[in-house]
Amino acid sequence: MPALPRPKHRPLRRPPPKPYHHGDLRRVLVDAALQLAERGGAAAVSVREAARRAGVSPGAPFRHFESRDALMTAVAEEAQRRFRAEIETALSEVPADQPLRRFRNFGLAYLRWAIRNPAYFEIISSGRYFDHDGAGELSRDNAELIAMSERMLAEALAQGALRTGELKPVLIAGRALVYGFARMNIDGHFRRWGVVKAETERTAEAILDLFIEGIAKRPPAAAG
Amino acid sequence: MPALPRPKHRPLRRPPPKPYHHGDLRRVLVDAALQLAERGGAAAVSVREAARRAGVSPGAPFRHFESRDALMTAVAEEAQRRFRAEIETALSEVPADQPLRRFRNFGLAYLRWAIRNPAYFEIISSGRYFDHDGAGELSRDNAELIAMSERMLAEALAQGALRTGELKPVLIAGRALVYGFARMNIDGHFRRWGVVKAETERTAEAILDLFIEGIAKRPPAAAG
DNA sequence: TGTGAATGTAAGCACCGATTACACTAATTG
DNA sequence: CAATTAGTGTAATCGGTGCTTACATTCACA
């Protein structure tokens, strides 16, 4: 049965149930947007629904985000922050003089994060929210991560650990491999033969190792 | 493209400026949807705009497609048809007893087609239009293409041309690599350092060769 | 204490997907 | 050759969306 309409008189000396000012609307909207993305993909995020969940009028979000894209950009920034933190934690576990092992940890952290945070990853990777006004930081941060991976492989090459002289194809192939796997996971290419997350992560590790074995110099034992 | 000024199927004396029946609305709608996708990505496709371009009322398309997704599925089917034709042409150029060369041609045709038909590829790959009612054929066709690539690599393995015993990681890595590159192209990861299509295709070829070299058995000269 | 900036609401715009009732045409059939 | 019927278009309408404008309320600070 429907709840009886409450008396309109404000409760005496009690904090009004709905203060005019929300207090932390921006934060709540970003969180709501993420929740919506987790449920139905980035395309299912709507400003109005986020406002609804925040218990606020449909126009209110536009005080904090000039457009839906701006909201999504904020989500992407939050995602990028967490992503980068995860990557740096993973890299801190390997000494700097082992570039190939660092590269492996980098890739593994990338894949794991993408698998465990598909909504975040979708929003980051779609690339739609990098070209807007406030997204300069996002692009720069992303470029830094790429540059880090480039440095690792350059060092590995300098140490003679790679079997190729040309670095550029290796870099792009590495990015494509890892990005492709993460996106296949998001785009439902694995749903068909129902994969659990743990198994997906093991597969991710396997293809990463395959790639590294492919670009690394073979153990000299075989070379006589 | 040459605009269709008027439908030709009413060869009566004076074709009225707007015959009540369009004649080939379904086809025109699919074409319009593709055009829209080419302009602003798959998300920019709207049934109403397609109807507008077909010179027809907003409700008309729903006589041919029960939903927007159904329209997109039709586009995906058309895309899949063309994609598969291209692949099979490419495969017909290599004899069946050279599985690794066939695999290379497969990958190359895949990448080239994805680069030259980004809108089609986005719609196919998004995976959103595979689970609907009429999409059984689409899924099946796609599964067949995957099975083909699997057979090629299995043959290569049987011939002793691969350096790994485990096929599954190689298969997934190959798919991820190629899919990842194609999607990076679509998602704008290459736009930043402005790449021409021809250059993109050369890069695609390079990473494909890198991958094949990585999984293939090294020439025994080095192992002696 | 007063005043402007910040941040909410209310109302309304255009566009969208989708449905329904109705109009017109083409094809089948008696 | 009519007459019916199935197919395909229009018109009007609904609820949802992004976004804007005008107005209301509250906060922060001079």
Side-chain angles (χ1 to χ4, degrees):
Chain A
M1 62 174 289
L4 292 177
R6 306 200 19 179
K8 301 268 191 205
H9 308 294
R10 298 178 47 191
L12 308 170
R13 62 186 70 191
R14 281 269 161 251
K18 242 194 177 182
Y20 191 92
H21 280 74
H22 183 287
D24 199 8
L25 184 54
R26 186 186 170 95
R27 178 47 139 228
V28 170
L29 288 172
V30 171
D31 288 352
L34 176 62
Q35 278 185 299
L36 293 172
E38 277 168 350
R39 243 195 114 281
V45 177
S46 90
V47 179
R48 286 179 110 96
E49 180 62 27
R52 221 168 281 131
R53 298 198 174 198
V56 99
S57 78
F62 292 90
R63 292 285 176 202
H64 300 270
F65 305 100
E66 67 172 355
S67 69
R68 180 185 180 278
D69 271 13
L71 170 60
M72 297 305 276
T73 299
V75 179
E77 276 164 3
E78 175 68 19
Q80 182 81 9
R81 198 171 312 134
R82 299 190 190 190
F83 179 56
R84 175 149 191 177
E86 195 97 345
I87 296 287
E88 286 178 347
T89 299
L91 286 185
S92 73
E93 293 166 0
V94 181
D97 61 339
Q98 303 193 20
L100 223 47
R101 277 196 58 207
R102 281 174 75 82
F103 183 78
R104 199 190 108 100
N105 259 37
F106 184 106
L108 210 53
Y110 181 118
L111 286 169
R112 266 210 265 263
W113 192 84
I115 290 165
R116 295 178 185 176
N117 306 277
Y120 268 149
F121 187 81
E122 186 194 357
I123 292 172
I124 288 188
S125 70
S126 73
R128 231 175 292 174
Y129 313 113
F130 279 61
D131 300 331
H132 265 266
D133 290 343
E137 190 181 355
L138 227 171
S139 287
R140 186 160 35 79
D141 193 282
N142 191 50
E144 279 175 27
L145 284 180
I146 293 174
M148 282 173 61
S149 71
E150 289 184 2
R151 249 178 281 128
M152 287 179 233
L153 285 188
E155 275 184 53
L157 181 65
Q159 290 183 3
L162 299 189
R163 72 159 226 275
T164 173
E166 255 202 296
L167 210 52
K168 191 187 147 205
V170 179
L171 287 166
I172 298 194
R175 284 176 62 192
L177 180 80
V178 139
Y179 182 70
F181 188 88
R183 271 220 76 91
M184 283 174 75
N185 182 48
I186 286 175
D187 293 343
H189 290 57
F190 297 151
R191 267 200 289 276
R192 238 181 296 280
W193 67 81
V195 183
V196 214
K197 267 185 187 174
E199 192 186 340
T200 305
E201 290 187 15
R202 264 184 286 125
T203 307
E205 193 169 353
I207 66 161
L208 186 60
D209 283 336
L210 184 75
F211 177 76
I212 292 178
E213 284 169 28
I215 63 171
K217 200 156 260 175
R218 300 289 162 78
Chain B
M1 72 158 280
L4 313 170
R6 60 197 56 221
K8 323 182 66 169
H9 9 63
R10 301 290 300 132
L12 280 175
R13 321 175 141 227
R14 284 168 295 125
K18 243 196 175 182
Y20 191 91
H21 281 74
H22 183 286
D24 199 9
L25 184 53
R26 187 186 169 96
R27 183 27 138 245
V28 171
L29 287 172
V30 171
D31 288 351
L34 175 62
Q35 279 184 298
L36 292 172
E38 278 168 348
R39 244 195 113 283
V45 176
S46 91
V47 180
R48 287 179 109 94
E49 180 62 27
R52 220 168 283 131
R53 298 197 174 199
V56 100
S57 78
F62 292 90
R63 291 285 177 199
H64 301 270
F65 305 99
E66 68 173 354
S67 68
R68 178 186 182 278
D69 271 13
L71 170 60
M72 296 305 276
T73 299
V75 180
E77 275 163 4
E78 174 69 18
Q80 182 81 7
R81 199 172 310 134
R82 299 191 188 190
F83 179 56
R84 175 150 189 174
E86 195 97 345
I87 296 288
E88 286 178 347
T89 299
L91 286 185
S92 73
E93 293 166 359
V94 181
D97 62 337
Q98 305 193 18
L100 224 46
R101 276 195 58 206
R102 280 173 75 82
F103 182 78
R104 200 191 107 100
N105 260 38
F106 185 107
L108 211 51
Y110 182 117
L111 286 169
R112 267 210 266 262
W113 192 84
I115 290 165
R116 295 178 186 177
N117 306 276
Y120 268 148
F121 187 81
E122 185 194 358
I123 293 172
I124 289 188
S125 70
S126 72
R128 230 176 291 175
Y129 313 114
F130 278 60
D131 301 331
H132 266 266
D133 292 341
E137 190 182 355
L138 226 172
S139 288
R140 185 161 35 80
D141 193 282
N142 191 49
E144 278 175 29
L145 284 179
I146 294 174
M148 282 174 60
S149 71
E150 289 184 2
R151 251 178 278 128
M152 286 179 234
L153 284 187
E155 275 185 55
L157 181 64
Q159 290 185 2
L162 299 188
R163 71 160 228 274
T164 172
E166 255 202 296
L167 210 52
K168 193 187 145 204
V170 178
L171 287 165
I172 299 195
R175 283 177 62 192
L177 180 78
V178 140
Y179 182 70
F181 188 88
R183 272 220 74 93
M184 284 174 75
N185 181 48
I186 286 174
D187 294 342
H189 290 57
F190 296 151
R191 266 200 288 277
R192 236 181 298 281
W193 68 81
V195 183
V196 212
K197 268 187 187 176
E199 192 185 340
T200 306
E201 289 187 17
R202 264 184 287 125
T203 307
E205 192 167 354
I207 66 160
L208 185 60
D209 283 335
L210 184 75
F211 177 75
I212 293 178
E213 284 168 27
I215 62 170
K217 200 157 260 172
R218 299 288 161 78

